[in-house]
Amino acid sequence: MKQALRFAAVSLILSLSLSAQSTNVVIVAEQRLKQLLPATVFIDGENVPTQERNAAMAQLPNGKLVLASLIDTAGYSSAYQEKYSGVLLAQTAFTLGGKTLDAGAYAIGRSKSGDDVTLHVYNLGGEQLAELKTEKQENLRPVKPLQIIAGDDGARLYLGPYYVSFSGK
C-alpha cells in the first residue's frame, strides 16, 4: 500500500513538472541555430541572405521550432529595403503579437511613426498578413538588432528595444 502511494505521488509530481515545463518557450542554443539557419531565403522574388549574427531560434511547448533572422538587403532597391528587414521560419502554428500564424515562412518589416514602431508580417509573395503594434522596453540590456527573450508567459520577439509577444499555439 505504501509503495502504491509513493508511486502515485511520484507520478503526480512528474506529470505536474512536465506540464509546467511544456508551457514555456525555450531559447535554442546558438550551435543548433547555426546548423539550421539557411544562408538565404526566398522573399518576394528575391533570394536574400540571412544574418547569422542577428538570428534567434525558440522551441515552442510542442517541441517545434521557430527561427527569426534579419536579412541583408544591401544591394536591393530602396523600396525592398524599406519593406523587408527579416524572416520568420516556423515548423508549427504560433502567435505573434496576438496574430496566429500557421507553420511556414514569413517576411517581416517595420515602420516607424514618431515613437511608435509597427511590425509588418508578409507572406513570401509580399502580401501583408498583419500589422502589429510593438511596445518599447526602455531598460533592455543588451539591445541587439534581433533577439527572442523567453519568460514564464511565453516570449518576446525584439527588434532593437521594440517587441511583440510570441508564444506557441
Side-chain angles (χ1 to χ4, degrees), residues 65-85:
L65 301 172
V66 175
L67 188 151
S69 175
L70 294 183
I71 55 174
D72 185 0
T73 56
Y76 292 87
S77 73
S78 60
Y80 195 89
Q81 290 177 11
E82 288 174 18
K83 186 173 182 179
Y84 304 115
S85 59

Side-chain angles (χ1 to χ4, degrees), residues 51-118:
Q51 295 181 10
E52 183 178 302
R53 69 189 177 283
N54 294 312
M57 187 166 52
Q59 182 176 352
L60 301 179
N62 64 4
K64 301 294 184 175
L65 301 172
V66 175
L67 188 151
S69 175
L70 294 183
I71 55 174
D72 185 0
T73 56
Y76 292 87
S77 73
S78 60
Y80 195 89
Q81 290 177 11
E82 288 174 18
K83 186 173 182 179
Y84 304 115
S85 59
V87 65
L88 296 172
L89 306 173
Q91 286 184 303
T92 188
F94 65 102
T95 301
L96 185 67
K99 171 75 175 171
T100 299
L101 298 166
D102 291 327
Y106 302 93
I108 57 173
R110 59 184 154 195
S111 61
K112 189 169 185 175
S113 175
D115 286 337
D116 295 330
V117 173
T118 302

Side-chain angles (χ1 to χ4, degrees), residues 15 17 20 55 74 84 118 121 132:
S15 69
S17 151
Y84 304 115
T118 302
V121 180
L132 308 171

